[in-house]
Amino acid sequence: MTTAPARPAPVDLAHHSHLTGVNAPQREEVDVADLRITGELPADLDGSYIRNGPNPRFDPIGSFVYPIDGDGMVHRLTISGGRAGYTNRFVRTSMVAAEEAAGHAIWSGITDGYTPSAEDVGERLAGTVRELPDINIVRHGGRLMAMAEADQPYLLNPKDLATLTKTDCDDAMRVGSTAHPKIDPVTGEMVLFNYTLEAPYLTWSVVGADGRTVRPPTPIAGLTEPVMIHDMALTQRYVVLFVCPLIFDLEAVMTGGSLLSWRPDDGTRIALIPRDGGAVRWITTEPFWVWHFANAFDSGPDVTVDYVEWTYPSGFTDQPRRAASTITRAVIHPDGQISRAVISDNAIDMEFPRVDDRLLTRDHRCIASVSKGPLDSGSQDSLWFHDINADREECWSPGVAIGEPIFMPGTEHDYWGAIGTDPADMRSYFYVLSADDPAAGPLATVDLPIRVPAGLHGAWLPNSG
């Protein structure tokens, strides 16, 4: 007689850095109009900023590895006519719905290896792992999607953010999707990739502007083992993948080891995948790690890629020195040679690079990012603005834990926005900065009605889009 594995013990929230302070879960869902505004919201801004992030519906059991674990919670700030409103909702996956019915967590962290039995959740959900559409939010082809890592997204109702169903985007995401698909602003196509633990290990797909599949999942030749790849870049000619040597080690897991293994001796490989369907071209360079790309574009015969380069993926390997990050520009030449130059290395833990999304696949002037400023300590962060053409960078330090910046084009002027939470009183705000002079501080500060946990990625959705 087989004994079912024991339900894991609760996580110690009080002593978990990613479940306390500005990261503490938010369980309240609200709809609030006419928020308090300090300053004046630009009259030419008309749309919504919407952001996703890991936020456990119930106190987790087993383990909690940020940002891998955690149910999705979507936050939306609407801006129109100089006024603002706020709505937030959980992404109600099958797992969240079952846990709400039970009143407590049933699924553990995905690194635990524990899955619930049929006695706990019924035959349909028995043996499943938690679905995690908690990383990004994307609008394309009439769909609003909460994106997961290497899985299919969940559709949300654009009116009230209610969860609808899982989607494969007309079969383009049949085997899953990256949380960071790229939308070509010229063609309207959404291009994506997905990695899996079994051959062919890596595929790419294309969804047309109308939401229909242009290219179904297509294997990418050249990989012999499963790798983790979080983000991608896109030019008018190429899908660009940086395959860093972070390998899924299934044999190690079977003996109690880590799921992911950092193998710097393998180097970092770059795949240039022609969007017209031609053969992939592989280039190998020294090892480094990439979480996020800012943008990429064709520059004559070369391919230029701007991204945050890490010395190694912190948390997945033991190294004598702290992992360091820089905003880096790589130029890939036709002969396979790569020229890499640092755009910015003046701050600690620089991440979340963003550009004006209307310039994806084309040259851009400014990259915004998040990092420590000269006066920041603890949970405080600053927004950095890197003018590549002028070789100049500016920093705005709000004295709060600031999130990913987002570019918001208005009908007359352009702006940057971000959510921040004051670690002193745990109040959250949305800041609107002029794109012409972001270091001057906010044109408007919107008081959010509840604390918004530190999260991940979002998008500006103009009402005209």
Side-chain angles (χ1 to χ4, degrees), residues 97-108:
E99 291 181 337
E100 287 184 329
H104 58 78
I106 300 174
W107 280 263
S108 67

Side-chain angles (χ1 to χ4, degrees), residues 264-398:
D265 290 346
D266 294 349
T268 287
R269 302 176 68 206
I270 298 174
L272 296 181
I273 306 161
R275 292 175 63 178
D276 65 7
V280 60
R281 185 155 63 99
W282 287 97
I283 299 131
T284 301
T285 186
E286 63 189 50
F288 56 84
W289 172 252
V290 179
W291 284 113
H292 298 114
F293 292 89
N295 195 17
F297 55 92
D298 300 314
S299 41
D302 299 331
V303 175
T304 298
V305 188
D306 289 347
Y307 61 99
V308 174
E309 179 173 310
W310 288 87
T311 49
Y312 64 88
S314 181
F316 294 103
T317 181
D318 294 326
Q319 298 285 335
R321 296 183 180 179
R322 176 187 173 97
S325 64
T326 59
I327 294 185
T328 299
R329 169 165 287 187
V331 180
I332 305 167
H333 306 290
D335 62 1
Q337 297 297 308
I338 302 174
S339 306
R340 300 201 336 262
V342 173
I343 295 173
S344 177
D345 61 355
N346 291 328
I348 298 172
D349 295 343
M350 191 163 279
E351 253 301 346
F352 288 169
R354 294 297 296 257
V355 301
D356 177 352
D357 286 344
R358 299 174 300 177
L359 297 178
L360 290 178
T361 75
R362 292 177 289 167
D363 197 358
H364 53 271
R365 174 173 180 171
C366 179
I367 299 173
S369 65
V370 178
S371 186
K372 293 293 182 187
L375 303 178
D376 291 333
S377 62
S379 298
Q380 295 175 341
D381 297 294
S382 296
L383 294 182
W384 292 72
F385 302 91
H386 316 275
D387 188 322
I388 300 172
N389 292 353
D391 191 23
R392 182 182 71 243
E393 63 183 8
E394 300 176 291
C395 170
W396 175 62
S397 299

Side-chain angles (χ1 to χ4, degrees), residues 191-196 198-205 215-225 227 229 232 239-243 269-274 277-282:
V191 184
L192 59 111
F193 75 92
N194 186 61
Y195 62 79
T196 60
E198 299 178 347
Y201 302 119
L202 197 58
T203 61
W204 69 291
S205 310
R215 173 179 290 275
T218 302
I220 299 170
L223 284 183
T224 58
E225 56 188 343
V227 295
I229 311 170
M232 61 173 282
V239 179
V240 184
L241 297 179
F242 281 29
V243 183
R269 302 176 68 206
I270 298 174
L272 296 181
I273 306 161
V280 60
R281 185 155 63 99
W282 287 97

